[in-house]
Each structure stands twice: as structure tokens, then as C-alpha cells.
């Protein structure tokens, strides 16, 4: 694609000896500008410019981009930190307690993924001595709110770079769990880190989620595994994270699995969805 762009770019600047000379002869002063043909050409030129400006404004007003998609894509891809040919990313989404962590652990064994949990990375940063974001992250997590994307995306990108640096020979496959939880994160990650290949979405009734989380809360030591925080997390998931799932569904990227029943049975269903994608 880049090659293609370069090709077309260079052909447009080829100077043919008969079309443009280095010192083109200047038209005799006064004579040309007064001729009726030139006046007509001038009027046509002004009309053309006005028409182009008008179509651009209308295009923008109607929410259309004036840059054709074919031209935009290579530019957007050129901005990503990783190439989708070299780095595969699968997002894992689902309400709190849907079993994302449990299933990710099994997927790591089977497909050799590197598992990154946005929540775990944020908790580690929160506890890191000297972190300027520690208190802010703590407050967001306690309230079940979405931590600002700049922090979350940077932590993920750093963890990916670290993992790739550690094991350059290994094909880079990442399971990113609990991310993206908000539309701005999805757009920013796809545009600046690498576009996700698929999104695994685990569904589960809220009553089951609540039961699981309260049970986990007895031993997890997490500040947000209590009924008050859990309810806030549910609301955040419905209001803020579901639109992300819907958007990826439109893009045909979602593998949806009902996460109710035995862990191994759920895992089998997930593998049936992932096998054709991950060889
Ligand atoms: P989890 O460990 O996935 O249950 O996430 C626990 C909490 O961490 C969430 O309720 C959020 O406050 C925060 N968090 C996790 N993932 C993200 C994310 N992708 N973006 C922002 N905040 C997040």
C-alpha cells in the first residue's frame, strides 16, 4: 500500500521536458490579460474554485470526510505502533465477573497468548511507589469509573513493547482483557497501537455476575468487590462499554459466548469461535 502511494506520488512530480520548463517564457504584459478568451478562462477558474469549496463545506456538514477512504487508510496504519501482520490482538470484554480472567488463563495455555489485563495493569500502577497516577486510579476504581484512556493505553502499549522485547522470536499474540471499555479507548488503540483482530464478548445475566463477585469479594481484597461498587460497575458497563461491543459487532469482529455453566464447557465454545481465527 505504501509502495502504491509512493508510486503514484512520484509519477505526479515527473517533469516532462515539453510540459514545464525551468524558466517558462513570461506572457507579454498587458496583452494577454485583456483578451476576451482569458477573461472567460478567469471566470471559469473562479467558478470552479467556488464550486469545489462549496462541495467541501457541504461534504463536511453532512458528516462526510472530504478525504477518500482509500487515501486515509495507509496514513492511519502508518501511525500505529505495531503492524497487524506482526502483532495479533484479541480484546476480551464482558461485564464484571463474566469470567474474563479465568478464560484468559486457559486461552494462554492453548494458543500461546500473552495475557494483559487492563485492570491488573491499573492496579499495579496504582500501587507503584512514586506513581503520579496512583491516587487518581484508586479513586476511579473505587467508583467503578473508567480511568482516563491516556493512562490505560500507555500502560498497555508499554506492556506490549516489553513483552515483544523480551521474546523477539515468538509470534506476538495478545489477549487484552477488560479493554476497551469506552469508545474513545477503542478508536485510539485501533488508530495508534494496532487494530484488534477480534473481540471475544462473554455474556452473563446480572444476577449471576453479582453472585460471583460477592463470592470473590470474600477473599479478593479488592476495593471494588462490594455491593455498592459492583452496582456502579454494572451501570458503567451498560452505559459506556456496551456501545464499544456494538461498534465492533458492526465491524463483524465480535465472537459472542454465553459465559454460564462449567468453565470447561464455556472454554470449548470460546475455542470453537477462535480456532478459525488463530491458527
Ligand atoms: P477489572 O479488573 O477488569 O474488573 O477492572 C477493575 C476496574 O479497573 C474497573 O472498574 C475500572 O475502574 C478500571 N479499569 C479496568 N479496565 C479499564 C479500562 N480499559 N479503562 C479504564 N479503566 C479500567
Amino acid at each position: 500500500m505504501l509502495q502504491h502511494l509512493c508510486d503514484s506520488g512520484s509519477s505526479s512530480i515527473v517533469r516532462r521536458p515539453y510540459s514545464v520548463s525551468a524558466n517558462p517564457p513570461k506572457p507579454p504584459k498587458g496583452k494577454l490579460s485583456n483578451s476576451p478568451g482569458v477573461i472567460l478562462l478567469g471566470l471559469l477558474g473562479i467558478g470552479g474554485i467556488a464550486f469545489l469549496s462549496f462541495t467541501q463545506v457541504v461534504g463536511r456538514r453532512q458528516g462526510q470526510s472530504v478525504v477518500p477512504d482509500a487515501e486515509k487508510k495507509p496514513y492511519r496504519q502508518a501511525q500505529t505502533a505495531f503492524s497487524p501482520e506482526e502483532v495479533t490482538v484479541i480484546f476480551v470484554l464482558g461485564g464484571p465477573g463474566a469470567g474474563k480472567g479465568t478464560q484468559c488463563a486457559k486461552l494462554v495455555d492453548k494458543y500461546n497468548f500473552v495475557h494483559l489485563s487492563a485492570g491488573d495493569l491499573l492496579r499495579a500502577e496504582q500501587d507503584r511507589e512514586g506513581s503520579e497516577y496512583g491516587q487518581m486510579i484508586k479513586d476511579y476504581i473505587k467508583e467503578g469509573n473508567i480511568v482516563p484512556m491516556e493512562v490505560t493505553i500507555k500502560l498497555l502499549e508499554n506492556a506490549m513493547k516489553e513483552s515483544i522485547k523480551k521474546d523477539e522470536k515468538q509470534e506476538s499474540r495478545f489477549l487484552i482483557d477488560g479493554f476497551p471499555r469506552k469508545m474513545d479507548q477503542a478508536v485510539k488503540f485501533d488508530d495508534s497501537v494496532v487494530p484488534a483482530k477480534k473481540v471475544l464478548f462473554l455474556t452473563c445475566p446480572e444476577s449471576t455476575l453479582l453472585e460471583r463477585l460477592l463470592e470473590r469479594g470474600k477473599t479478593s481484597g479488592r476495593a471494588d468487590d462490594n455491593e455498592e461498587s459492583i452496582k456502579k460497575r454494572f451501570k458503567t458497563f451498560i452505559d459506556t462499554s456496551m456501545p464499544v461491543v456494538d461498534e465492533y459487532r458492526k465491524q463483524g469482529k465480535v465472537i459472542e459466548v454465553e459465559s454460564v455453566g462449567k468453565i470447561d464447557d464455556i472454554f470449548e465454545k470460546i475455542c470453537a469461535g477462535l480456532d478459525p481465527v488463530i491458527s
Side-chain angles (χ1 to χ4, degrees), residues 44-54:
L44 282 173
I46 291 166
I49 289 165
F51 176 73
L52 280 176
S53 307
F54 173 75

Side-chain angles (χ1 to χ4, degrees), residues 83-180:
S83 148
E85 277 83 44
E86 287 161 14
V87 172
T88 300
V89 164
I90 310 281
F91 291 145
V92 185
L93 293 178
K100 300 182 293 289
T102 306
Q103 295 298 335
C104 281
K106 292 174 79 63
L107 290 166
V108 165
D109 286 344
K110 175 163 177 172
Y111 297 99
N112 210 15
F113 279 115
V114 173
H115 173 214
L116 299 176
S117 152
D120 285 351
L121 288 171
L122 286 166
R123 278 183 288 272
E125 179 63 22
Q126 164 198 291
D127 297 338
R128 191 173 62 82
E129 214 173 294
S131 166
E132 58 182 302
Y133 305 113
Q135 190 54 49
M136 184 260 282
I137 295 172
K138 201 176 249 173
D139 296 341
Y140 273 85
I141 289 184
K142 183 90 201 310
E143 290 304 309
N145 286 331
I146 307 288
V147 177
M149 70 163 175
E150 289 75 14
V151 176
T152 317
I153 292 181
K154 203 71 216 152
L155 288 173
L156 282 171
E157 192 179 334
N158 287 348
M160 289 172 76
K161 283 188 177 149
E162 194 90 336
S163 161
I164 290 169
K165 205 165 72 184
K166 246 195 256 163
D167 196 352
E168 278 175 20
K169 281 172 265 123
Q170 191 183 312
E171 192 192 338
S172 302
R173 289 175 175 171
F174 294 93
L175 266 186
I176 303 190
D177 131 28
F179 181 92

Side-chain angles (χ1 to χ4, degrees), residues 176-235:
I176 303 190
D177 131 28
F179 181 92
R181 275 177 145 105
K182 196 175 172 187
M183 217 40 233
D184 63 351
Q185 297 182 350
V187 171
K188 181 80 180 157
F189 189 93
D190 279 354
D191 278 2
S192 69
V193 183
V194 65
K197 189 163 187 170
K198 289 281 173 191
V199 177
L200 173 62
F201 175 43
L202 302 179
T203 65
C204 194
E206 205 171 288
S207 54
T208 311
L209 296 177
L210 181 62
E211 230 171 79
R212 288 179 185 172
L213 289 171
L214 289 176
E215 190 55 37
R216 185 175 81 181
K218 289 178 188 165
T219 53
S220 70
R222 278 178 52 161
D224 58 351
D225 277 349
N226 59 77
E227 193 151 355
E228 196 190 339
S229 294
I230 291 168
K231 295 245 160 89
K232 288 178 183 166
R233 289 157 73 193
F234 285 164
K235 182 166 169 25

